[in-house]
Amino acid sequence: MAEERRPKKKTNIVVWIVLGLLILALGGFGIGGFGGSLSSVASVGNRDITVQEYANAVQGEQRRLQAQTGQPLTLQQMQQFGIDLAVMQQLLTSAALEEEAARLGVSVGDAEVARRIRTNPGFGGLDGNFDREAYSFQLDRLNLSEQRFERQIRNEAARELVQAAVVSGVEVPSGYTDTLLGWLAETRDATLITVTVSDLTGGPLAPSADDIQAFYDANPEMFERPERRAITYAWKTPETVDVEIDEDALREMYEARADIFRQPPRVLAERLAFANDAAAEAALAAIDAGETTFATLVEDRGLTLADVDQGELARDDLDEAVADALFALEEPGLVGPLPTSLGPALYRVNAVLDATETPYEDVRDDLAREFTRDAARRQIDGSRDAIDDLLAGGATLEELADETEMTLGTIEWSRGDTTGIAAYDNFRAAAASVTEDDFPELEGLSDGGIFALRLDRVIPPAVSSLDEVRDDVAAAWSRDSLRTRLLARAEEIAADDADSGAGTPETLTGITRDAVLENTPPAVVDRLFEAEAGDVFAIEGDDVSAFVVRLDSINDADLEDENVQRLRQAIETQARQDLSGDIFDAYARSVQGRIGFNVDQRAVEAVQAQLLGGG
């Protein structure tokens, strides 16, 4: 695709290996595994592509694709999609351009090499700055000497200079841009009439017995039951367990949460600290004089109000002097400067909250529900071993229900069914995967319950009998009939092209190709941009409407419009990137063909074999 050919900074393979692999703490591939006879996988002119470079590039692409898709990609999958070949081609192209840069005498100085290394985040220490030990450590893990890495950095920079020279000055033909812009920014004006049930003679119709039979015979797929699974299950949930409420325990729960139910006086405040008292006093004076605000002072520091928000503060959360000052307020306001561990600070109090206490009686029912649920879960957990032993001993689900407090049930389950026990994800997953040969096993439910199931039989898909779905057939016939009659009426109006008395004509202006017209199907806009001025056509809507549309005028793009100008810039940018990509690809192929290259397939296969073995 053109986007893939787009010229862009081609980061040296080792650099993005450092950023991609080393940051993720991956080790070097290890050349030693190939033996001394295999040192390179390909050559371009006088430049070799080492086995290490190729292995790092393949692994780097694996990591990049995994980060992009969220799914791991094996080497076999890369080979199926030809990604390994694309990696090799990228390496060959880079090597060819480095050779070309050397032939042209293009290079960069030591200062540029040093700048690139020092600004590489892969070599940063804990403070984010360049760290010499991190630099040496990372190169060691890649089996690269500093000299070789720095030489590759220099080659990369030279290659970029050549690439920039090739694609610089690319201009997009104005005719191309104007033609595309005119097509994209062209608009339509139209008149729309909505045809509804009220425009039909006789309104909606009721189907006869013959209509129902004919529709059922013509559309059997609409009334086919999906595959169902006849399942017997035994289950137990916290709601089915009888638990005796212990009032003393509820009181203990209440007291244990006294910090929630009994709140002391609090303030909602923000704090901004200063370097010294003078700065804090000056800031307060400026606020008092109306020259600035607390929020402006925060923004001037490059902070947000969220950064200085202290949340709810009680006396115990604060030093005594600060607490006295803040809780002396009876309403929101500014306090300070006050001494803090960060220096003198201004506090903005946004709310003063009185002490609150929630009586036990107000939360008793909530505590009881929590107590009951937790006690039931503990009881269910305590019964697991005994139930597991019964199942392991060959007990059927029927016997399980007789000997325990589990409840027996049956269901004809199909995918999409979420009623009853099928509301639980775990049950649906088990129901979908169980076979008739499986023995029941105890599994958990999301609310702390347990269940075991047995597949009795699989019921294949089948068309329901007419008697079973007669009402559904009648409803489907009514929808289909109404939709057909609405479209037919709209087509009559479109053919007459006169005042039909149907609906209220609505004038639509400035419709663009990507417009979304409210309460109309996308086909309306599509047809408008296929039609000629004056054309009238009918469009099917939903089950209760259809549309008559007349294209009143075709409007040329307003090239002075601000939105159109932005579209022009986007078109030119994209076209320039595409043209630059095509030019650079042609140049790179020409250079590679002139210099010549050789790929040692035996070495490539050896690297891939070791990668497979390591995966």
Side-chain angles (χ1 to χ4, degrees), residues 584-596:
F584 180 74
D585 280 352
Y587 173 76
R589 286 195 299 270
S590 173
V591 169
Q592 188 174 319
R594 173 166 48 81
I595 294 176

Side-chain angles (χ1 to χ4, degrees), residues 6 46 154 265 317 341 369 373 446 520 527 602:
R6 186 182 308 165
N46 295 321
R154 196 183 307 276
D317 300 324
S341 59
R369 280 190 290 272
R373 183 177 63 249
S446 58
T520 63
R527 286 287 300 275
R602 184 174 68 93

Side-chain angles (χ1 to χ4, degrees), residues 236-239 241-246 249-250 253 367-383 447-448:
K236 183 179 182 181
T237 66
E239 287 72 22
V241 177
D242 292 329
V243 175
E244 183 177 348
I245 302 296
D246 185 338
L250 297 187
M253 291 173 65
L367 294 174
R369 280 190 290 272
E370 182 180 344
F371 175 86
T372 300
R373 183 177 63 249
D374 291 346
R377 286 180 174 177
R378 289 193 299 272
Q379 184 176 325
I380 289 173
D381 284 341
S383 67
D447 61 359

Side-chain angles (χ1 to χ4, degrees), residues 262-306:
R262 300 189 188 104
Q263 292 283 336
R266 289 147 292 140
V267 294
L268 298 178
E270 297 155 339
R271 180 185 68 186
L272 184 63
F274 294 84
N276 50 58
D277 288 328
E281 293 286 359
L284 179 61
I287 294 175
D288 290 341
E291 298 171 358
T292 189
T293 65
F294 184 87
T296 300
L297 291 173
V298 171
E299 293 175 3
D300 291 345
R301 295 275 192 90
L303 303 172
T304 67
L305 292 177

Side-chain angles (χ1 to χ4, degrees), residues 381-400:
D381 284 341
S383 67
R384 279 178 170 270
D385 290 343
I387 295 172
D388 273 329
D389 290 342
L390 287 171
L391 289 174
T396 66
L397 296 181
E398 289 78 6
E399 292 169 339
L400 199 65

Side-chain angles (χ1 to χ4, degrees), residues 89 330 614:
Q89 182 57 52
E330 295 182 356

Side-chain angles (χ1 to χ4, degrees), residues 236-569:
K236 183 179 182 181
T237 66
E239 287 72 22
T240 63
V241 177
D242 292 329
V243 175
E244 183 177 348
I245 302 296
D246 185 338
E247 288 294 335
D248 291 338
L250 297 187
R251 286 282 183 183
E252 290 177 5
M253 291 173 65
Y254 177 79
E255 293 299 332
R257 300 175 190 182
D259 58 335
I260 298 175
F261 299 132
R262 300 189 188 104
Q263 292 283 336
R266 289 147 292 140
V267 294
L268 298 178
E270 297 155 339
R271 180 185 68 186
L272 184 63
F274 294 84
N276 50 58
D277 288 328
E281 293 286 359
L284 179 61
I287 294 175
D288 290 341
E291 298 171 358
T292 189
T293 65
F294 184 87
T296 300
L297 291 173
V298 171
E299 293 175 3
D300 291 345
R301 295 275 192 90
L303 303 172
T304 67
L305 292 177
D307 295 327
V308 299
D309 184 20
Q310 301 297 293
E312 290 189 10
L313 299 172
R315 274 190 168 274
D316 292 344
D317 300 324
L318 302 164
D319 292 338
E320 183 176 356
V322 176
D324 288 344
L326 265 57
F327 283 93
L329 293 177
E330 295 182 356
E331 59 184 22
L334 199 64
V335 180
L338 298 172
T340 72
S341 59
L342 299 177
L346 297 181
Y347 281 84
R348 183 169 73 171
V349 176
N350 297 309
V352 179
L353 307 176
D354 294 332
T356 61
E357 180 172 354
T358 304
Y360 169 76
E361 291 73 17
D362 290 353
V363 295
R364 188 267 178 197
D365 290 344
D366 291 336
L367 294 174
R369 280 190 290 272
E370 182 180 344
F371 175 86
T372 300
R373 183 177 63 249
D374 291 346
R377 286 180 174 177
R378 289 193 299 272
Q379 184 176 325
I380 289 173
D381 284 341
S383 67
R384 279 178 170 270
D385 290 343
I387 295 172
D388 273 329
D389 290 342
L390 287 171
L391 289 174
T396 66
L397 296 181
E398 289 78 6
E399 292 169 339
L400 199 65
D402 289 338
E403 298 183 31
T404 70
E405 294 181 355
M406 297 185 75
T407 301
L408 192 68
T410 60
I411 185 174
E412 287 189 0
W413 179 81
S414 62
R415 293 184 185 275
D417 180 5
T418 57
T419 59
I421 191 174
Y424 293 93
D425 291 341
N426 284 9
F427 178 86
R428 294 197 302 274
S433 61
V434 66
T435 71
E436 294 184 52
D437 295 330
D438 291 338
F439 292 99
E441 295 181 356
L442 194 63
E443 301 190 47
L445 296 171
S446 58
D447 61 359
I450 54 176
F451 76 97
L453 60 77
R454 179 184 69 230
L455 177 62
D456 298 323
R457 62 191 177 98
V458 175
I459 306 170
V463 176
S464 301
S465 69
L466 179 56
D467 288 340
E468 292 177 302
V469 294
R470 185 175 298 275
D471 290 344
D472 293 337
V473 177
W477 181 95
S478 296
R479 288 192 301 270
D480 184 73
S481 170
L482 184 58
R483 188 166 52 245
T484 300
R485 293 171 64 214
L486 286 168
L487 180 59
R489 179 64 181 131
E491 290 172 341
E492 290 176 3
I493 297 171
D496 291 343
D497 193 18
D499 185 6
S500 63
T504 301
E506 181 182 358
T507 300
L508 306 174
T509 60
I511 304 169
T512 58
R513 292 182 183 273
D514 61 350
V516 177
L517 303 181
E518 188 176 3
N519 298 324
T520 63
V524 169
V525 174
D526 294 342
R527 286 287 300 275
L528 280 174
F529 280 88
E530 295 171 356
E532 300 291 337
D535 286 355
V536 182
F537 53 88
I539 289 284
E540 184 178 64
D542 53 21
D543 292 339
V544 294
S545 63
F547 302 94
V548 181
V549 187
R550 182 181 68 217
L551 176 56
D552 297 325
S553 64
I554 299 174
N555 310 313
D556 292 337
D558 180 3
L559 300 183
E560 302 304 318
D561 181 81
E562 182 179 345
N563 292 327
V564 175
Q565 288 295 320
R566 283 198 293 267
L567 180 59
R568 175 188 287 278
Q569 293 174 359

